Amino acid sequence: MSSAVGARGPAWQRVLRKLVVYMLIIPGAILMAMPFVWLVLSSFKTLEEIVLFPPTFWPKSPTLNNFRQVFQMIPFGRYYMNSIYTAIVPTVVSVATAAMAGYGFAKYRFTGRNTIFWIILSTMMVPFPATIVPLFVMVSKMGLVNTRLGLIIVGLSSASGIFMMRQFVMTIPDELLDAARIDGASELRIFTQIVMPLCKPALATQTLFSFTGHWGAYIWPLIVVNSDRLRTLPLAIPYFSGQHYSYQNLISAASLMAILPVLVVFLFTQKYFVQGITLTGMKS
Amino acid sequence: MAVSREKQLSNGLYRFQRKVAPYGFILPGTAFYLMVTIVPMFMGLWMSLHRWNILRTRQTFIGLENYASVLTNPVFWEALKNTLIYTVGVVPVQIGLALIVALLLNAEIRGRTIFRLLYYLPVVTPLSIAAVIWQWIYHPQMGLLNAALSTFGVAPRNWLGDPKIAMFSVIIVAIWAGLGYKMVIFLAALQGIPESYYEAAMIDGANKLDLFRHITLPLLRPTTLYVFITSLISSFQVFGLVNVLTGGGPLDATNVLVMHIYRRAFSDYQFGEASAMSFVLFAIILVFTLVQWKVMGREVSYD
Amino acid sequence: MRFKATRLSCIVAAALLIMSFAGGIGFAAKKTVVTHWQHHTPARAEMVEAFAAKFMQENPDIEIRLESIPEADYFSKLLPALAAGSGPDTFQIPAGQILTYVRSGVIQPMDVNNSAVRNIEKEFIAPAISRMKVDGKYYGFPIDNATVVLFYNPKLFKEAGINPDKPPTTWDELIAYAKKLTKRDASGVTTQMGLATGGYGPVILSLMMQNGASMWDAKAGLPSFVSPQGIEALKFATSMVTDSKVEDRAMGSRWNAFRQEKLAMVYAGPAMIGSFRATAPNLEFRTAEVPAPRAGGSQSTLLTSWAYVVGKKAQTEAATKWVAYLTSETAQKEWILKTGDLPTRRALLDLPEYKTDPLLAPCMDSMKKALVAPWTARALDDSLVRKAYELVILKGESPEAALKWLTAEGIKAENEQKELARP
């Protein structure tokens, strides 16, 4: 429906439509962005200013000191690198396996298809307090406590990723795949050269979600990591919190620096939200 | 040549490939996933049949006693009720709003990528920071909401401190926090609807509403099913957001089930009871999901 | 020939050198590693790192590995680790949990050959170590000790015509002062609160203790809160919000209010000294011992404490040395200075430099009068009591009904705790 809004009708109608869209979208956008804006501004405030209530808007005496202090007090750079590793590897693996599995569940009929799919879906429904300790004991018996593999092993595949890819792949017409089969393409070729290109928005979305999730993972890394060598950003930021007060200014500066890669990934994946998939050779 | 190709298709090798391929495709994802979920899940189930003190090596088997005590415990039902209110309050509204925003931001207006980023920001904003802002918005004396409402003559309220409205306040924050996530999914799905469908329909004289009802909505159905089901599953298990906003109070008004389970396990050392509650919740979520699937899961034909 | 001999002797020399090196390393004692987990605050982490560095200097055969965990997530990390057997060698637990941990077999008694352990009863005040002894052996040293004191703002006192050098000494005086210190604007919105408790468990329990409420059924070994003194104490706390209206919950966080001079008096733990100093360096504030119910009455407050304990798998001698070091006299002086944690060593409580410190002196006195709770269930220290308070304030229940509820819940919690700690 994208071009439908812009392209049709007399000019004044087009302008009115765009105006309506803006009027509806902007108030929401302000509310959505408010905490983030406050985060950005807080990164430049001093501790005394930041504890004031009600909060001030612009920093009274803006300072870059917070950023400097973050790096001084903790090995922030190393934590950053650790986060990059523990986010990228599981993201790549889980998106790839989700795409494959989603395709398998969507476009094939095979024995056990529904059973396996529902088993996967069901495991999403068990609350984490029931499974976190057995999971940790299992990982510990495998000798993976405080190791990189132990950190990423729980993120190598994602049930919701498999589910989502399945739903997206389902929208691809079967005729397309059959035509390719008649042309002699192997199953793998069909997957890589026909299905995947059509799933670009889904793959981009899943990459974004997977990265966002792994980047911000807290509970599992908290339990598994016992040394600075492996510590990731979400574990590092509570360093500035205490029981009775926190260095909210440093938390803000650190959090801001920690959010940036996710925003970068967002803007990067938005490129793949390209409208218009031409489907030639289709019977209609 | 075409003839021999079709002969090839019924050739055993191709048939074999087609039969084996799906297992090959689902294997890595399924294996990686089940490896870290199935064993802990059964372990948790085993724990639920015991009085389980995590510090000890031997545990007392008590069969279904945990389940009996859970199902007769008013605190459990209260927490379940809170969770249901939360889920019913968040899921439909959040998804509806996300779809609207996605449709609006699918239009070719200037700066739409920036708007999309803004709407996604709550998803990446750390919960603790979002909580600071929302606690300010909701502050009874100096909060933004009461200030705004007072200009309309509406009396101020203690949004997070009044047991009667605390859950409502939490629901608003939950909708705010997850909307961008659903929006991105809908945007991706909208990309998959070929322009040609709309063009063909408009040539046939369809108006905007028709386009939405007869093309967009049906073609979004697989995505909508996914969004509804995953929202349902995660709303039933909400924990972090409520924990950081209200800690379950005031007076347990926002005590959701997973919070209660967590507290019973990690503060009271009652892992057996916590596991039993987890599996009761699991059963409830499963039932809701099955119902949802039956209602919404009609497959659409694409031609 | 000579050339060859030189080469040969060089090689032999080198080999001997390497062997002696390796042999040297072999002979040097292998380092005992002690992993230590504790709560995190930035000040505490820094301080304990400094302790560890010094300790390792003095004990080159021991390596300390520190892990500082945010308090809210402490048990999320500790319990799975203990379950998997990958837990730390030394860590902290609430003092009331020691019995459970001992009976569950996850901690071991401290090294009896360690002099600090042998002298523990001589050097520490009794309430601080009463829960650390099980079956005649000591399992930990006290840490994170907190009592309750009264913080107040002298400037606001002066403005209200009250002598800032004479903080209230009785409950009646406290309320009278609070009323003078409470200001409202034209529309009735509170602009300055006179007093706040926040409904915080230890504060409410302290009020009950001061009033002589028994809180415990000794015969049954279970909590029992319904008593005239208990009801009176709870009523006193809730009346601040409902009757005299010197505490207004609509003002939000009492700490923020105190920092911004919108709250004149607040019950708090001594650790708030450090908090106010860091977040409101220009705020002038004082501490005082809590007022007694009536003249000459009790000023007891609840002592809450944790303990550094030694894990089952730890090397007893090294681990005990470390926890003794962390709670030694020199260390406790650092604790009070850097983090506001009160000392529990008799020698320190009477130190002249603390007696003359206007902020610390009332805190030291409060420690001398502090009492330990008779129960072990943690929920009774704060969360259940706070709920009882909220039952009165938010739901309008009578204090007696709230205390009946608290007793019922407390009995459940304590029974659970007993089951966990069964032999």
Side-chain angles (χ1 to χ4, degrees):
Chain A
M1 254 172 113
S2 77
S3 48
V5 175
R8 317 214 175 251
W12 69 269
Q13 255 190 27
R14 272 182 277 153
V15 171
L16 185 65
R17 265 191 285 247
K18 286 202 182 171
L19 219 60
V20 168
V21 170
Y22 278 124
M23 266 171 37
L24 292 173
I25 245 3
I26 288 180
I30 296 178
L31 187 61
M32 294 283 145
M34 225 166 68
F36 184 77
V37 170
W38 183 84
L39 175 67
V40 174
L41 293 172
S42 298
S43 314
F44 299 96
K45 292 183 188 166
T46 58
L47 181 59
E48 287 119 63
E49 185 180 351
I50 220 174
V51 294
L52 293 179
F53 192 86
T56 59
F57 191 65
W58 288 111
K60 289 204 193 112
S61 35
T63 168
L64 287 177
N65 211 12
N66 297 333
F67 296 96
R68 213 168 16 102
Q69 262 194 292
V70 166
F71 279 95
Q72 274 172 348
M73 286 172 74
I74 56 178
F76 199 69
R78 166 137 41 113
Y79 298 154
Y80 222 98
M81 289 295 125
N82 287 338
S83 270
I84 290 181
Y85 176 89
T86 54
I88 289 189
V89 174
T91 296
V92 168
V93 175
S94 76
V95 173
T97 57
M100 285 168 61
Y103 173 63
F105 284 116
K107 286 303 177 189
Y108 289 93
R109 290 191 182 288
F110 54 95
T111 28
R113 180 182 73 162
N114 283 342
T115 318
I116 300 179
F117 182 71
W118 273 92
I119 291 179
I120 294 178
L121 211 57
S122 305
T123 53
M124 279 171 75
M125 305 176 196
V126 185
F128 81 94
T131 53
I132 192 90
V133 176
L135 177 60
F136 181 74
V137 172
M138 192 178 97
V139 167
S140 166
K141 291 219 169 93
M142 285 160 52
L144 295 179
V145 175
N146 209 31
T147 62
R148 279 206 200 284
L149 183 57
L151 255 181
I152 64 176
I153 200 170
V154 297
L156 292 177
S157 180
S158 150
S160 94
I162 294 176
F163 188 5
M164 185 172 105
M165 291 308 299
R166 171 191 187 268
Q167 303 304 96
F168 271 87
V169 172
M170 267 168 51
T171 67
I172 296 177
D174 288 339
E175 293 86 5
L176 217 57
L177 308 178
D178 288 335
R181 288 199 183 101
I182 290 176
D183 282 345
S186 77
E187 298 302 312
L188 193 59
R189 273 265 295 272
I190 295 177
F191 174 70
T192 53
Q193 297 192 337
I194 299 187
V195 177
M196 284 299 97
L198 290 178
C199 284
K200 283 215 182 96
L203 288 172
T205 306
Q206 195 50 38
T207 305
L208 174 65
F209 288 166
S210 192
F211 186 84
T212 307
H214 287 115
W215 185 260
Y218 182 71
I219 299 219
W220 180 251
L222 173 80
I223 301 180
V224 168
V225 170
N226 286 330
S227 76
D228 266 359
R229 188 176 41 95
L230 292 174
R231 214 175 301 274
T232 56
L233 288 174
L235 299 183
I237 292 176
Y239 183 90
F240 305 107
S241 299
Q243 281 160 272
H244 303 288
Y245 69 96
S246 303
Y247 292 113
Q248 195 67 39
N249 54 333
L250 300 179
I251 295 178
S252 301
S255 301
L256 180 61
M257 290 192 279
I259 287 185
L260 293 176
V262 180
L263 300 180
V264 166
V265 172
F266 182 88
L267 292 171
F268 176 71
T269 53
Q270 278 301 294
K271 276 183 1 187
Y272 292 91
F273 281 45
V274 172
Q275 170 61 35
I277 298 161
T278 48
L279 299 162
T280 54
M282 281 255 313
K283 301 191 204 113
S284 60
Chain B
M1 285 31 78
V3 173
S4 66
R5 281 248 172 86
E6 276 173 43
K7 262 228 191 117
Q8 261 185 332
L9 276 180
S10 51
N11 175 301
L13 185 61
Y14 266 88
R15 271 223 305 270
F16 176 75
Q17 209 192 73
R18 265 191 86 168
K19 228 168 159 239
V20 170
Y23 295 104
F25 280 116
I26 70 167
L27 186 66
T30 310
F32 283 152
Y33 183 74
L34 291 182
M35 152 179 102
V36 292
T37 47
I38 282 291
V39 170
M41 205 171 123
F42 278 104
M43 198 55 209
L45 198 57
W46 179 242
M47 279 164 69
S48 72
L49 301 174
H50 295 71
R51 203 175 288 131
W52 198 280
N53 177 347
I54 205 101
L55 302 172
R56 294 193 193 233
T57 43
R58 309 179 63 108
Q59 312 293 345
T60 326
F61 183 80
I62 56 173
L64 296 176
E65 210 180 291
N66 277 327
Y67 289 93
S69 69
V70 161
L71 292 173
T72 53
N73 187 351
V75 179
F76 169 78
W77 290 106
E78 190 72 26
L80 179 61
K81 184 186 87 174
N82 289 336
T83 310
L84 276 170
I85 295 176
Y86 175 88
T87 302
V88 167
V90 172
V91 172
V93 178
Q94 186 185 64
I95 295 181
L97 285 177
L99 180 57
I100 293 174
V101 172
L103 288 168
L104 288 173
L105 292 182
N106 203 25
E108 268 169 30
I109 56 170
R110 230 154 10 138
R112 69 174 173 179
T113 307
I114 299 297
F115 278 115
R116 291 178 185 181
L117 179 64
L118 292 180
Y119 274 85
Y120 192 68
L121 279 179
V123 179
V124 299
T125 308
L127 276 176
S128 49
I129 291 174
V132 171
I133 291 300
W134 278 99
Q135 276 159 356
W136 173 38
I137 294 177
Y138 281 142
H139 195 271
Q141 254 195 6
M142 296 174 271
L144 293 178
L145 184 56
N146 279 335
L149 287 178
S150 67
T151 60
F152 294 105
V154 179
R157 298 218 132 139
N158 193 344
W159 297 99
L160 289 174
D162 181 349
K164 295 194 207 86
I165 55 179
M167 184 52 100
F168 171 74
S169 312
V170 169
I171 288 175
I172 299 291
V173 181
I175 293 175
W176 169 91
L179 195 144
Y181 185 90
K182 322 294 195 263
M183 171 198 77
V184 170
I185 298 177
F186 279 126
L187 278 171
L190 287 170
Q191 300 305 320
I193 300 177
E195 196 55 26
S196 51
Y197 286 8
Y198 293 116
E199 285 164 4
M202 283 210 250
I203 290 173
D204 284 347
N207 68 25
K208 213 60 71 57
L209 197 59
D210 290 334
L211 289 177
F212 181 69
R213 274 177 55 210
H214 298 293
I215 298 182
T216 312
L217 219 45
L219 288 179
L220 279 183
R221 199 180 294 247
T223 309
T224 315
L225 176 70
Y226 166 75
V227 172
F228 256 101
I229 292 206
T230 49
S231 291
L232 202 77
I233 294 178
S234 63
S235 288
F236 266 109
Q237 296 178 60
V238 67
F239 175 68
L241 183 99
V242 181
N243 196 31
V244 87
L245 262 183
T246 60
L251 223 51
D252 283 348
T254 58
N255 191 25
V256 287
L257 204 44
V258 176
M259 270 186 79
H260 181 63
I261 292 175
Y262 178 85
R263 213 178 290 129
R264 288 301 280 160
F266 287 88
S267 291
D268 300 339
Y269 297 83
Q270 305 296 318
F271 275 84
E273 182 188 314
S275 298
M277 281 196 280
S278 299
F279 281 97
V280 173
L281 180 59
F282 163 77
I284 294 172
I285 298 177
L286 185 59
V287 166
F288 269 80
T289 305
L290 285 169
V291 168
Q292 185 97 54
W293 195 284
K294 277 272 156 10
V295 166
M296 295 186 76
R298 240 184 338 123
E299 313 269 300
V300 186
S301 64
Y302 297 95
D303 58 22
Chain C
M1 295 330 119
R2 239 187 328 172
F3 192 68
K4 238 192 191 169
T6 322
R7 285 255 307 280
L8 191 59
S9 47
C10 276
I11 294 172
V12 170
L16 281 173
L17 195 62
I18 290 172
M19 266 164 48
S20 69
F21 230 166
I25 290 174
F27 278 131
K30 209 174 135 216
K31 275 199 179 191
T32 315
V33 175
V34 173
T35 47
H36 175 82
W37 290 11
Q38 61 172 34
H39 286 166
H40 177 79
T41 73
R44 180 189 297 211
E46 213 183 297
M47 187 184 71
V48 176
E49 272 163 29
F51 283 163
K54 254 187 100 209
F55 182 84
M56 288 194 274
Q57 256 184 353
E58 294 170 16
N59 298 276
D61 54 329
I62 304 179
E63 182 186 336
I64 305 288
R65 291 201 193 139
L66 297 174
E67 188 70 8
S68 212
I69 305 159
E71 187 179 3
D73 305 309
Y74 184 72
F75 287 104
S76 305
K77 187 172 170 68
L78 181 67
L79 296 187
L82 290 176
S86 64
D89 296 312
T90 56
F91 52 101
Q92 63 179 109
I93 57 175
Q97 295 288 321
I98 288 184
L99 184 62
T100 300
Y101 277 64
V102 172
R103 297 271 182 258
S104 303
V106 284
I107 60 177
Q108 54 167 306
M110 298 195 290
D111 182 7
V112 289
N113 298 318
N114 185 301
S115 59
V117 176
R118 280 208 304 264
N119 294 323
I120 199 172
E121 284 174 15
K122 222 174 30 167
E123 293 175 355
F124 285 83
I125 55 172
I129 53 171
S130 61
R131 293 181 288 188
M132 320 247 153
K133 190 177 190 181
V134 178
D135 300 334
K137 302 193 209 115
Y138 276 97
Y139 282 81
F141 281 105
I143 197 68
D144 272 340
N145 304 285
T147 57
V148 179
V149 294
L150 189 71
F151 282 70
Y152 66 99
N153 186 323
K155 192 171 83 180
L156 297 182
F157 265 46
K158 277 186 232 157
E159 275 172 20
I162 307 175
N163 184 348
D165 297 322
K166 291 220 159 86
T169 52
T170 67
W171 284 11
D172 288 334
E173 244 183 2
L174 180 68
I175 299 294
Y177 285 19
K179 281 192 186 151
K180 281 198 209 151
L181 290 160
T182 304
K183 291 196 196 143
R184 274 177 253 276
D185 71 10
S187 48
V189 171
T190 315
T191 51
Q192 183 176 299
M193 277 197 285
L195 174 65
T197 63
Y200 184 46
V203 172
I204 310 289
L205 290 169
S206 301
L207 292 174
M208 290 188 194
M209 282 175 170
Q210 288 155 31
N211 210 29
S214 89
M215 301 195 290
W216 188 252
D217 177 349
K219 224 169 41 163
L222 290 172
S224 165
F225 286 95
V226 185
S227 69
Q229 300 91 343
I231 295 174
E232 201 185 345
L234 181 58
K235 204 165 189 189
F236 178 63
T238 56
S239 70
M240 294 176 199
V241 175
T242 53
D243 298 342
S244 49
K245 297 214 176 37
V246 294
E247 181 172 1
D248 189 351
R249 310 253 306 176
M251 283 196 85
S253 156
R254 59 196 188 279
W255 310 130
N256 273 335
F258 192 76
R259 275 186 210 120
Q260 300 185 246
E261 305 203 284
K262 294 195 180 133
L263 170 60
M265 300 185 280
V266 64
Y267 280 95
M272 288 310 285
I273 295 178
S275 166
F276 292 139
R277 281 214 184 112
T279 52
N282 298 324
L283 176 70
E284 201 198 327
F285 64 93
R286 300 204 198 161
T287 57
E289 271 194 276
V290 294
R294 40 205 84 71
S298 157
Q299 287 175 299
S300 303
T301 58
L302 180 71
L303 173 68
T304 56
S305 55
W306 291 60
Y308 279 135
V309 293
V310 177
K312 197 66 178 212
K313 299 205 177 126
Q315 207 264 31
T316 319
E317 194 191 328
T320 308
K321 249 195 198 170
W322 168 239
V323 295
Y325 189 83
L326 280 176
T327 50
S328 63
E329 227 178 271
T330 22
Q332 284 204 339
K333 282 192 186 163
E334 289 283 303
W335 280 95
I336 180 77
L337 199 68
K338 298 234 167 85
T339 66
D341 281 331
L342 291 181
T344 41
R345 282 176 171 274
R346 297 175 201 261
L348 294 177
L349 289 176
D350 281 317
L351 219 52
E353 64 195 78
Y354 296 145
K355 280 208 163 128
T356 49
D357 182 323
L359 283 180
L360 288 179
C363 301
M364 299 299 169
D365 289 334
S366 77
M367 178 57 85
K368 291 192 214 157
K369 297 183 189 151
L371 297 173
V372 173
W375 51 76
T376 54
R378 263 188 84 200
L380 272 174
D381 285 341
D382 188 18
S383 62
L384 288 177
V385 178
R386 191 194 291 261
K387 265 197 216 140
Y389 171 88
E390 285 177 352
L391 278 174
V392 178
I393 294 215
L394 293 174
K395 253 177 119 186
E397 302 249 357
S398 74
E400 183 170 354
L403 288 181
K404 278 210 180 102
W405 176 89
L406 181 61
T407 305
E409 292 299 311
I411 289 177
K412 269 192 240 165
E414 194 66 15
N415 276 331
E416 257 179 21
Q417 196 67 43
K418 282 191 180 166
E419 207 283 325
L420 287 171
R422 72 177 195 280

